[in-house]
Amino acid sequence: MAEVHRILKEMYIGMAVCMIVFLAIGAFFMRPYYIFALALLVGNLGGALRIYHIYDVLDQALDMGEAGAKKKVIVNSLLRMVVTLALLVGSIYLGITAFAGVALGMIEPKICAYLQPKIRRILIRLGLEEPEEPVEPEQPSQEDDEPHFQTEDEE
């Protein structure tokens, strides 16, 4: 569980960095800028809540039976889609600048999922996180040299 929390923290850090980059780029291209900045913040918060919601739903589903877990995952996935769609449609009424901000904020978790290993290495290099201890692969025993299947001659 600690590893999941570490990964969530790294993704949130990556989302904050992406948000700063998008704010810097938006300062040159988006007018009015304050609408873009607020919409990006809303999209970022929506993306962060989606990440946590996915984690929470999957954690609960692992404790359920197969049929209940499948239903829970599907229902909550649809809920996330409806909330995402509501945010995007709502932002359209505020203009293309707000839509761009919300859309970029909602896409950031995808970007940060790819950047998470790099963020981890940077945090380790800065001394903010401890490196993982290497896991040694199990050595095969001498008995494993024998084939574990029967041939037609042995039957």
Side-chain angles (χ1 to χ4, degrees):
M1 203 48 85
E3 183 177 354
V4 173
H5 291 288
R6 176 186 55 80
I7 291 171
L8 284 174
K9 179 180 77 169
E10 292 165 358
M11 287 192 64
Y12 292 146
I13 291 169
M15 287 180 68
V17 170
C18 282
M19 183 176 170
I20 292 169
V21 169
F22 288 152
L23 283 172
I25 293 170
F28 295 107
F29 299 109
M30 297 298 182
R31 298 289 178 254
Y33 179 70
Y34 70 93
I35 290 179
F36 174 74
L38 287 174
L40 185 62
L41 180 64
V42 168
N44 233 352
L45 291 174
L49 288 174
R50 277 189 1 197
I51 291 172
Y52 186 79
H53 188 255
I54 291 170
Y55 156 71
D56 190 45
V57 167
L58 291 177
D59 188 41
Q60 291 175 11
L62 288 173
D63 296 333
M64 301 173 79
E66 185 176 344
K70 183 177 180 181
K71 182 179 179 182
K72 182 169 189 68
V73 169
I74 290 172
V75 167
N76 283 288
S77 176
L78 291 173
L79 175 67
R80 280 191 304 275
M81 284 186 218
V82 168
V83 170
T84 300
L85 187 63
L87 281 173
L88 290 171
V89 169
S91 69
I92 289 173
Y93 290 109
L94 297 175
I96 191 70
T97 304
F99 178 76
V102 170
L104 283 174
M106 296 301 256
I107 290 173
E108 280 182 15
K110 306 285 186 196
I111 297 168
C112 295
Y114 291 114
L115 294 178
Q116 185 267 332
K118 293 184 187 315
I119 292 169
R120 171 134 178 86
R121 284 194 293 268
I122 290 169
L123 291 175
I124 289 172
R125 200 172 299 141
L126 292 174
L128 299 173
E129 283 193 12
E130 297 294 322
E132 292 178 352
E133 295 180 19
V135 178
E136 296 182 21
E138 294 181 21
Q139 297 294 326
S141 64
Q142 298 297 331
E143 298 171 3
D144 288 343
D145 293 339
E146 300 292 322
H148 294 285
F149 56 90
Q150 293 181 347
T151 60
E152 292 179 13
D153 297 337
E154 293 177 0
E155 293 179 356

